[in-house]
């Protein structure tokens, strides 16, 4: 019978990598189609400049790039290289950029990439064309380099063909055949090719292919300028035609520029120009492709390039006497959040996409897709790449266009981790928004939601803070998008009572006669509990990796409310629901709202408004009830993500403002406040609560993440059970630990490297100032041998080392006395 029949649409750098990786795993019925002639089919691969800088704020993207480097180093075509490991140099001409390069060097260290920040003389030694007087320093990564994408495509094609793959150029896809919600073939202008799996690697044509199955692919084709100079005297005789280049690839991000050698000429790429969206319907579709005329190579607009040319001459004085020989506006793919688009259609089984992937990450993506298809999971964690991560509003063409263009403009900008987009805003607001604005909420944005991070109405409380609650002055970077008001809000939460808007957190309703069985099979905890039980549980993959953590409340025999982490959980539960209609999974986030009412006076506040019994004896921790608060129907769950007595109070959106107003009035005598996300994050970390996606992912198992308590193998079969049976707290090689910063003042922000005995050994996941404990705290991955309380480590924060100590967790109320009172 052989392997499944796979049709890959697109024979560029992504499609050929997928074919190579699948055939390497023994799949032998692979057909690769492209509308253009082989091997240069007219897509982005045909003109890609090939600069591979591996370092990225995302661990995932760095690992995809690292694999690409390693794979391409081993490729050649008739003795010619596919990867020239020249090194990569990013230079700084401003103090802000130099500081950012130190931060990037930290990312590189965290993700296992060797890199160093060097002085101007070293920059000039590596790249003699640079005017060293304009440079303050640079980040040098020796393992970066140039990928020859067009040549790599030939090497990958030959290798995949040798294993049985078939490549067909000049073949236009006109439809995707499907039956019963599953693909059965690909219709082309030359007939139908039967298929069990279709993988679209069509690049900027991806949305057009997606339309064939009704899938919205949130991708915008944008033109990006690239030019080649005439001969540069300083380069004459330095490089052979075969080698092409000898100096490191170069980025001048302060001016949105990058450079590479073409033997005795320079190639210059720029993002400094206006965004130029491209309508694929105006392109020739790959017909008649030649080196001079490709659909993805548009006419060069000299006026857009002129400012970049002047800036190039300032950094590289050799260009003063040079001219632009030729240039083009090359078409590339951009997305709303800058990440690639990987995964299976939510509606048509067997239809996969791998789009918005640049050469830098192409081999890593090819491996990941192959592993997903063959093994069911990727060894590299992919939640930031999964196409199903987007909310429905983010698929709107206008939203995709605006945000993708914004990402183009900001691609080389120094961006703070908390920096919100400026537009579009107010896409999603909770029913409490009007009241929050009255209280001077400072909103940051997440998944379209306006989320208060602190309230200016609480500014006066900063002056009332007891001495032990006074936060230290932060450095310039850590103080961005932050306010000392967060300390006052944390103080009031711990000592009085506070209201937190929890509306943006994803809520799913799972109901039907098969609901219990579905949740039992997908989670690590026991779901078959009494009505009113709430369970913290994990969704694992087959290898025991943590794909999500969930809070599941049983509302009736056949109905559950699931507190999830995002749209990927919604997608996962819908996919896994039986096809017989016995389970429905609905996203109820937008139609409902939630207030977290927490603090030692929380019970007194709610008891003023209800006749339901909220006593500790009759409403225990991790239980839920249907109650009425001031006449409003509420699902009350006794949970507390901040580690204080209190409830999550859910109601439908129409009652939201009334619920807020009643709680606010009832709490006035107890000093009630509204609290924001800054205080919330500090409080949850002090309590030892993890944040999925930051603190743990599929790369970590429950015991490594300190979540072994949420695993109940004795309950019976569930996904990942066999894997976790082999695990325990004693078998792990790494652990997530809580660190306290020794100096009491240095607030790190996440992704910084952790050193043990002076050597890189892990990285920070979450970080904040612990207002209750009066010290900066962080969660970090470290070797199990360094995970015991009292162990000394160092965190590299920009260019300095900060000492920290592993501490026992939770830092606050380890006996759970407050939360269970």
């Amino acid at each position: 019978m052989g392997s499944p029949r796979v049709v890959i649409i697109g024979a560029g750098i992504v499609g050929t990598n997928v074919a190579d990786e699948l055939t390497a795993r023994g799949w032998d019925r692979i057909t690769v189609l492209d509308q253009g002639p082989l091997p240069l089919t007219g897509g982005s691969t045909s003109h890609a400049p090939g600069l591979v800088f591996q370092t990225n704020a995302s661990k995932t993207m760095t690992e995809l790039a690292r694999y690409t480097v390693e794979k391409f180093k081993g490729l050649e075509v008739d003795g010619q290289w596919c990867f020239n490991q020249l090194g990569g140099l990013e230079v700084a001409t401003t103090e802000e950029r130099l500081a950012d390069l130190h931060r990037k060097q930290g990312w590189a260290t965290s993700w296992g990439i060797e890199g160093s920040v060097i002085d101007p003389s070293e920059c000039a030694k590596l790249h003699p064309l640079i005017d060293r007087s304009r440079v303050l320093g640079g980040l040098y990564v020796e393992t970066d380099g140039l990928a020859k994408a067009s040549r790599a495509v030939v090497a990958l094609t030959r290798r995949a063909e040798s294993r049985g793959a078939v490549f067909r150029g000049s073949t236009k896809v006109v439809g995707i055949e499907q039956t019963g919600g599953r693909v059965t073939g690909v219709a082309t202008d030359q007939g139908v090719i039967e298929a069990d799996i279709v993988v679209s690697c069509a690049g900027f044509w991806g949305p057009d292919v997606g339309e064939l199955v009704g899938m919205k692919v949130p991708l915008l084709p944008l033109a990006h300028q690239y030019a080649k100079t005439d001969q540069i005297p300083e380069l004459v005789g330095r490089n052979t035609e075969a080698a092409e280049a000898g100096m490191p690839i170069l980025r001048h991000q302060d001016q949105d520029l990058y450079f590479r050698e073409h033997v005795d000429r320079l190639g210059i790429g720029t993002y400094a120009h206006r965004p130029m969206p491209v309508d694929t319907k105006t392109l020739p579709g790959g017909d008649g492709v030649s080196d001079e005329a490709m659909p993805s190579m548009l006419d060069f607009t000299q006026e857009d390039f002129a400012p970049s040319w002047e800036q190039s001459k300032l950094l590289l004085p050799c260009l003063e006497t040079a001219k632009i020989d030729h240039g083009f506006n090359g078409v590339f793919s951009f997305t709303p959040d800058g990440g690639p688009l990987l995964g299976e259609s939510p509606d048509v089984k067997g239809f996969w996409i791998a789009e918005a992937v640049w050469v830098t990450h192409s081999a890593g993506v090819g491996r990941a897709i192959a592993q997903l298809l063959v093994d069911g999971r990727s060894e590299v964690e992919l939640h930031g790449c999964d196409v199903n991560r987007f909310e429905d509003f983010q698929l709107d063409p206008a939203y995709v266009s605006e945000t993708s263009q914004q990402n183009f403009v900001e691609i080389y900008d120094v961006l703070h981790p908390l920096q919100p987009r400026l537009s579009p805003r107010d896409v999603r607001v909770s029913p409490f928004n009007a009241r929050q604005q009255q209280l001077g909420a400072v909103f940051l944005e997440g998944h379209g939601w306006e989320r208060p991070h602190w309230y200016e109405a609480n500014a006066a409380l900063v002056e009332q803070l007891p001495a032990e609650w006074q936060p230290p002055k932060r450095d310039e970077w850590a103080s961005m998008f932050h306010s000392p008001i967060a300390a006052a809000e944390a103080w009031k939460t711990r000592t009085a009572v506070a209201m937190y808007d929890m509306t943006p957190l994803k809520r799913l309703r799972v109901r039907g006669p098969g609901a219990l069985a579905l949740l039992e099979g997908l989670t690590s905890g026991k779901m078959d509990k009494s009505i009113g039980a709430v369970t913290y549980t994990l969704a694992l993959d087959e290898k025991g990796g943590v794909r999500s953590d969930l809070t599941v409340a049983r509302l009736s025999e056949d109905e559950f409310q699931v507190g999830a982490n995002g749209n990927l959980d919604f997608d996962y539960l819908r996919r896994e629901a039986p096809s017989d209609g016995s389970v429905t999974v609905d996203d109820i986030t937008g139609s409902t709202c939630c207030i977290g009412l927490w603090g030692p006076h929380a019970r007194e506040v709610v008891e003023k408004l209800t006749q339901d019994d909220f006593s500790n004896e009759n409403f225990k921790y991790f239980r839920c009830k249907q109650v009425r608060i001031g006449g409003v129907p509420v699902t009350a769950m006794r949970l507390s993500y901040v580690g204080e007595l209190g409830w999550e109070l859910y109601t439908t959106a129409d009652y939201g403002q009334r619920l807020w107003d009643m709680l606010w009035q009832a709490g006035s005598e107890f000093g009630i406040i509204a609290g924001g996300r800054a205080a919330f994050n500090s409080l949850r970390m002090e309590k030892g609560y993890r944040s999925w996606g930051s603190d743990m992912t599929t790369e970590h198992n429950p015991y490594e993440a300190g979540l072994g308590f949420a695993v109940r193998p004795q309950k019976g079969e569930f996904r990942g059970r066999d894997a976790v049976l082999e695990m325990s707290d004693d078998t792990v090689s790494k652990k997530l630990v809580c660190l306290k910063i020794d100096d009491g003042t240095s607030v790190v922000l996440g992704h910084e490297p952790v050193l043990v005995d002076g050597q890189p050994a892990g990285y920070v996941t979450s970080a904040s100032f612990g207002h209750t404990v009066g010290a900066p705290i962080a969660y970090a991955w470290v070797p199990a041998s360094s995970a015991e309380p009292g162990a000394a480590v160092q965190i590299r924060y920009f260019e300095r080392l900060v000492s920290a100590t592993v501490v026992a967790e939770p830092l606050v109320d380890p006996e759970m006395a407050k939360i269970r009172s």
Side-chain angles (χ1 to χ4, degrees), residues 308-319:
S308 292
W309 179 237
E310 295 305 312
Q311 290 297 331
S312 297
K313 289 189 286 187
L314 291 176
L315 182 69
L316 307 174
C318 65
L319 297 178

Side-chain angles (χ1 to χ4, degrees), residues 281-590:
K281 293 178 174 56
T282 66
L283 301 177
D287 298 330
V289 176
S290 68
D291 200 33
E292 291 75 36
M294 292 186 182
S296 61
M297 295 175 67
L298 308 181
D299 291 341
F300 190 61
T301 49
Q302 181 65 49
E303 65 278 11
D304 289 305
F305 190 75
S308 292
W309 179 237
E310 295 305 312
Q311 290 297 331
S312 297
K313 289 189 286 187
L314 291 176
L315 182 69
L316 307 174
C318 65
L319 297 178
E320 284 289 353
T321 57
K323 293 182 174 58
I324 298 299
D325 184 67
H326 67 277
F328 61 91
N329 292 357
V331 185
F332 288 93
S333 303
F334 283 77
T335 62
D337 61 4
L341 306 173
L342 313 180
E344 188 181 21
S345 161
D347 302 310
V348 181
K349 292 183 179 180
F351 183 83
W352 291 71
I353 72 169
E355 312 288 20
V357 180
W358 292 11
V359 173
T360 300
H361 310 104
S362 58
V365 165
R367 180 180 65 170
I369 292 293
Q371 289 176 337
L372 287 168
L373 293 175
V374 177
D375 307 323
R377 77 186 295 270
S378 163
E379 65 186 79
V380 175
E381 191 278 320
L382 295 175
H383 83 274
C385 304
D386 194 314
V387 65
N388 298 294
R389 68 189 181 270
F390 294 104
E391 300 286 329
D392 186 63
F393 77 93
Q394 294 175 298
L395 304 179
D396 176 70
Y399 181 91
V400 173
S401 178
E402 179 178 352
T403 54
S404 297
Q405 290 184 59
Q406 183 177 338
N407 283 329
F408 178 93
V409 171
E410 296 178 344
I411 192 166
Y412 281 172
D413 289 358
V414 177
L415 299 176
H416 192 275
L418 292 176
Q419 191 159 327
R421 64 173 76 254
L422 298 178
S423 176
R425 292 295 296 266
D426 293 319
V427 176
R428 308 171 87 184
V429 297
S430 81
F432 320 128
N433 184 260
R435 298 297 183 255
Q436 291 166 344
Q437 293 197 42
Q438 291 168 3
L439 293 170
V442 175
F443 295 98
L444 300 186
E445 182 265 354
H447 299 287
W449 287 102
E450 295 298 321
R451 307 174 77 164
H453 271 242
W454 66 85
Y455 292 85
E456 290 296 331
N458 296 326
L461 295 174
V462 176
E463 303 302 319
Q464 303 174 28
L465 281 170
E468 65 272 19
W469 282 85
Q470 290 288 342
K473 183 176 175 57
R474 295 185 174 209
D475 65 65
E476 184 178 0
W477 184 252
S479 63
M480 291 178 67
F481 306 103
H482 183 76
S483 169
I485 292 173
E489 293 175 359
W491 171 53
K492 279 293 185 180
T493 306
R494 291 276 190 241
T495 60
V497 62
M499 294 163 56
Y500 288 84
D501 183 1
M502 305 300 289
T503 301
L505 300 187
K506 180 71 74 175
R507 289 177 295 286
L508 308 175
R509 182 176 60 200
V510 182
R511 60 180 174 178
L516 175 61
L518 174 67
L519 292 172
E520 282 279 15
L522 296 181
T523 67
S524 64
K526 183 176 176 57
M527 297 291 107
D528 193 7
K529 296 180 178 179
S530 61
I531 295 170
V534 182
T535 306
Y536 175 80
T537 188
L538 306 175
L540 306 176
D541 64 20
E542 296 289 356
K543 297 292 186 181
V546 181
R547 66 176 301 149
S548 191
D549 63 341
L550 307 169
T551 303
V552 181
R554 190 170 196 177
L555 304 183
S556 70
E557 284 293 325
D558 294 337
E559 182 174 351
F560 298 81
Q561 181 170 310
V562 178
N565 282 297
N567 212 55
L568 291 180
D569 293 328
F570 181 38
D571 178 69
Y572 180 54
L573 289 177
R574 283 197 304 169
R575 287 179 190 277
E576 296 298 325
S579 58
D580 60 7
S582 61
V583 183
T584 58
V585 181
D586 299 303
D587 182 351
I588 61 171
T589 311

Side-chain angles (χ1 to χ4, degrees), residues 64-76:
L64 295 176
R66 175 166 43 200
Y67 180 74
T68 299
V69 167
E70 291 304 312
K71 181 174 180 177
F72 284 10
K73 279 168 54 182
L75 295 178
E76 56 86 24

